[in-house]
Amino acid sequence: MATPYYEGHGVQLYLGDCREVLPTLPRESVDLIVTDPPYGKNWQSGRRKNTLGPIAHDDGTLDVAACITTACKVLRDKRHLYVFGPADLSPCPFGATAELIWDKEILGAGDLTIPWGPQHEPITFAVHISRPSNRAAGYGRLAARLRKGSVLRVPRANSGALEDRHNPHQSGKPVHLLRQLIESSSCLGETVLDPFAGHGPTLIAAALEGRNAIGVELDEACAEQAAKRLEGLV
Ligand SMILES: C[S@@+](CC[C@H](N)C(=O)[O-])C[C@H]1O[C@@H](n2cnc3c(N)ncnc32)[C@H](O)[C@@H]1O
């Protein structure tokens, strides 16, 4: 198994490509996946072009569904995933799914030539059902667990919330939002996996919620920042 780049607060962060690191982790060893893969849009901050480089694998060539399917091998059966972004996850071993909306409560820049600015991002909620026959039989349809509204209103990460102050990522996700997802789909002491950890908001949210966490991040500058943020937790 690979050596963690950072370890502390119940969190292990691996530096590397999740397609190589995930197969080294024990199968069915995590209880929840919360992740924010590259959206494949070559996103680049207009205002902070000089300080923030492009996101790795954001050119549309990464097969996100294949990465999530690989991550599912590490996830226990019947447990939940939350995957941010627009990727087509239909090939993944999912039972029940639902689309959640993160309302950032503020307009992003987007295409300034049209009258509508982006204020939300989609999140796919899914139940992992590993066997095709069990998926066909409808396993993983939830009876009562997911009884909250599907729109989550949380100001975006760089809005000044204390927990998010040190996330310079262009597509940074607010820790408060991730805490809600983790609290809804796991128990104290369980383990959360984020194969696209970025600057570590999922790992921080997991630690604050009393969960263990495993993160994988390809970009060393991001991993270093995530480790610094985790070290700063008290
Ligand atoms: C959308 S960003 C995640 C941002 C994160 N939610 C945050 O708030 O900091 C996607 C991240 O995945 C990383 N990444 C891209 N391809 C990867 C791969 N194959 N394995 C692991 N990490 C990867 C990128 O470096 C980037 O940090």
Side-chain angles (χ1 to χ4, degrees):
M1 215 161 105
T3 310
Y5 175 83
Y6 167 87
E7 202 163 5
H9 295 286
V11 176
Q12 290 181 325
L13 173 61
Y14 294 92
L15 176 62
D17 190 314
C18 64
R19 293 168 293 185
E20 286 158 22
V21 175
L22 291 171
T24 71
L25 302 177
R27 290 173 81 97
E28 300 194 40
S29 59
V30 309
D31 304 288
L32 171 65
I33 292 176
V34 178
T35 196
D36 179 25
Y39 286 14
K41 297 192 180 231
N42 276 324
W43 202 93
Q44 173 70 64
S45 167
R47 280 192 302 139
R48 298 197 286 166
K49 217 174 220 155
N50 299 330
T51 48
L52 293 172
I55 297 173
H57 288 157
D58 195 27
D59 57 2
T61 55
L62 185 72
D63 186 344
V64 173
C67 294
I68 298 297
T69 299
T70 303
C72 280
K73 295 193 190 322
V74 185
L75 180 65
R76 294 194 170 90
D77 209 30
K78 302 195 178 99
R79 299 307 301 255
H80 297 174
L81 304 92
Y82 295 89
V83 183
F84 283 81
D88 173 12
L89 301 177
S90 55
C92 298
F94 294 165
T97 59
E99 186 185 67
L100 310 185
I101 296 293
W102 168 34
D103 174 358
K104 304 180 195 181
E105 297 190 315
I106 189 164
L107 273 186
D111 181 348
L112 299 176
T113 67
I114 60 171
W116 302 98
Q119 188 177 314
H120 75 279
E121 285 181 33
I123 309 169
T124 298
F125 163 85
V127 186
H128 173 222
I129 301 293
S130 53
R131 296 180 61 168
S133 56
N134 289 343
R135 290 199 292 280
Y139 282 34
R141 296 209 181 111
L142 297 175
R145 190 86 194 263
L146 188 69
R147 299 312 308 159
K148 297 174 189 169
S150 55
V151 177
L152 296 112
R153 292 195 176 85
V154 179
R156 71 176 185 205
N158 51 358
S159 63
L162 194 57
E163 307 174 310
D164 295 316
R165 287 252 164 92
H166 303 290
N167 189 349
H169 213 293
Q170 303 99 313
S171 54
K173 298 297 177 285
V175 170
H176 181 62
L177 170 64
L178 300 166
R179 288 182 76 166
Q180 291 183 39
L181 306 182
I182 290 168
E183 193 276 330
S184 298
S185 289
S186 64
C187 298
L188 273 177
E190 290 191 337
T191 301
V192 182
L193 169 67
D194 184 350
F196 297 97
H199 290 86
T202 304
L203 311 178
I204 289 162
L208 292 173
E209 287 297 321
R211 274 63 164 174
N212 300 313
I214 298 172
V216 187
E217 172 53 46
L218 183 62
D219 181 317
E220 185 158 12
C222 289
E224 193 185 336
Q225 189 71 27
K228 273 195 191 138
R229 292 176 77 194
L230 285 157
E231 265 164 15
L233 286 180
V234 281

